[in-house]
Amino acid sequence: HLNIAGVLLMASRSFISFLRDTPLALILPLDEFMPGFHTILGLIAGLGSVLHTLAHLPTYILKKNSAWSSGLHGSTSLFITGITLCILLALVCAAALPAVRRNHFEVFHACHVWGSLVVYILLIIHGSHYGNPSSWKWILGPALVYCLDFAHRWHRERRSYLLINKHSAAIQGQY
């Protein structure tokens, strides 16, 4: 959960820009640090989800009845959300490959935005053991920072402004 939370914080571009103006920038080289760290955390999260799934397989095979009794709506929901999480994380990682990002940026962007949104929702559902949610504790803070960051970027991009070109006819005295 901590890796997923870190990925979300690293995707908060305005937040990272804000941190550049703080004393933290003296300690952490944010410009060099951010893109690589985001990638590493994403890969660790993807690899961790595969290892997590493989670790549960013996439990599901050996203890058929008890293994299927936990989860928000039983282990069927754990199995379905877990497999779906692995598939979505693999899709997000595949869409982040340099060839896809360079040649099909729209695919990369859509997979990252919408795939990640579904991943976080499923992670909260998946992390609800015996009806007791625990994943939200790791995701709430970074998700709030990301949502505020997204709202700030959206507002900034939607502001209307007038640009006056110095080569316009009115400024040069020509009608």
Side-chain angles (χ1 to χ4, degrees), residues 94-111:
L97 292 172
V100 176
R101 201 172 55 236
R102 185 176 40 254
N103 298 325
H104 305 285
F105 185 80
E106 299 80 20
V107 172
F108 159 76
H109 189 260
C111 284

Coordinates of all heavy atoms in Angstrom, one line a residue, residues 94-111:
A94 N 2.5 -1.8 -18.9 CA 2.7 -2.0 -20.3 C 2.5 -0.7 -21.1 O 3.2 -0.4 -22.0 CB 1.8 -3.1 -20.9
A95 N 1.5 0.1 -20.7 CA 1.2 1.3 -21.4 C 2.3 2.4 -21.1 O 2.4 3.4 -21.8 CB -0.1 1.9 -21.0
A96 N 3.1 2.2 -20.0 CA 4.1 3.1 -19.7 C 5.5 2.8 -20.4 O 6.4 3.5 -20.2 CB 4.3 3.1 -18.2
L97 N 5.5 1.7 -21.2 CA 6.7 1.4 -21.9 C 7.1 2.6 -22.8 O 6.2 3.2 -23.4 CB 6.6 0.2 -22.7 CG 6.5 -1.1 -21.9 CD1 6.1 -2.3 -22.8 CD2 7.7 -1.4 -21.1
P98 N 8.4 2.9 -23.0 CA 8.8 4.1 -23.8 C 8.2 4.1 -25.2 O 7.8 5.1 -25.7 CB 10.3 4.0 -23.8 CG 10.7 3.2 -22.6 CD 9.5 2.3 -22.3
A99 N 8.1 2.9 -25.8 CA 7.6 2.9 -27.2 C 6.1 3.3 -27.2 O 5.7 4.0 -28.1 CB 7.8 1.5 -27.8
V100 N 5.3 2.8 -26.2 CA 3.9 3.2 -26.2 C 3.8 4.6 -25.8 O 3.0 5.4 -26.4 CB 3.2 2.3 -25.2 CG1 1.7 2.7 -25.0 CG2 3.3 0.8 -25.6
R101 N 4.5 5.1 -24.8 CA 4.4 6.5 -24.4 C 4.8 7.4 -25.5 O 4.2 8.5 -25.7 CB 5.3 6.6 -23.2 CG 5.0 7.8 -22.3 CD 5.8 7.9 -21.0 NE 7.2 7.8 -21.2 CZ 8.0 6.9 -20.7 NH1 7.5 6.0 -19.9 NH2 9.3 6.9 -20.9
R102 N 5.8 7.1 -26.3 CA 6.3 8.0 -27.3 C 5.4 8.0 -28.5 O 5.0 9.0 -29.1 CB 7.7 7.5 -27.7 CG 8.4 8.4 -28.7 CD 9.8 8.0 -29.0 NE 10.1 6.5 -29.1 CZ 10.7 5.8 -28.1 NH1 11.1 6.4 -27.0 NH2 10.8 4.5 -28.2
N103 N 4.9 6.8 -29.0 CA 4.1 6.7 -30.2 C 2.6 6.7 -30.0 O 1.9 7.0 -30.9 CB 4.5 5.4 -30.9 CG 5.9 5.3 -31.3 OD1 6.5 6.3 -31.7 ND2 6.5 4.1 -31.2
H104 N 2.1 6.4 -28.8 CA 0.7 6.4 -28.5 C 0.4 7.1 -27.2 O 0.0 6.4 -26.2 CB 0.1 5.0 -28.6 CG 0.4 4.3 -29.8 ND1 -0.2 4.5 -31.0 CD2 1.3 3.3 -30.1 CE1 0.2 3.8 -32.0 NE2 1.2 3.0 -31.4
F105 N 0.8 8.3 -27.1 CA 0.7 9.0 -25.8 C -0.8 9.0 -25.2 O -0.9 8.8 -24.0 CB 1.1 10.5 -25.8 CG 1.1 11.1 -24.5 CD1 2.2 10.9 -23.7 CD2 0.1 12.0 -24.1 CE1 2.2 11.5 -22.4 CE2 0.1 12.6 -22.9 CZ 1.2 12.4 -22.0
E106 N -1.8 9.0 -26.0 CA -3.2 9.0 -25.6 C -3.5 7.7 -24.9 O -4.2 7.7 -23.9 CB -4.1 9.2 -26.8 CG -4.0 10.5 -27.5 CD -2.9 10.5 -28.5 OE1 -2.4 9.4 -28.9 OE2 -2.4 11.6 -28.9
V107 N -2.9 6.6 -25.4 CA -3.1 5.3 -24.8 C -2.4 5.3 -23.4 O -3.0 4.8 -22.4 CB -2.6 4.1 -25.7 CG1 -2.6 2.8 -24.9 CG2 -3.4 4.1 -27.0
F108 N -1.2 5.7 -23.4 CA -0.5 5.8 -22.1 C -1.2 6.6 -21.1 O -1.4 6.2 -19.9 CB 0.9 6.4 -22.4 CG 1.6 7.0 -21.1 CD1 2.1 6.2 -20.2 CD2 1.6 8.4 -21.0 CE1 2.7 6.8 -19.1 CE2 2.2 9.0 -19.9 CZ 2.7 8.2 -18.9
H109 N -1.7 7.8 -21.5 CA -2.4 8.7 -20.6 C -3.7 8.1 -20.1 O -4.0 8.2 -18.9 CB -2.6 10.1 -21.3 CG -3.1 11.1 -20.3 ND1 -4.4 11.5 -20.3 CD2 -2.5 11.9 -19.4 CE1 -4.6 12.4 -19.3 NE2 -3.4 12.7 -18.8
A110 N -4.5 7.6 -21.0 CA -5.8 7.0 -20.6 C -5.6 5.8 -19.7 O -6.3 5.7 -18.7 CB -6.6 6.6 -21.8
C111 N -4.6 5.0 -20.0 CA -4.4 3.8 -19.1 C -3.9 4.3 -17.7 O -4.3 3.7 -16.7 CB -3.3 2.9 -19.7 SG -4.0 1.9 -21.0

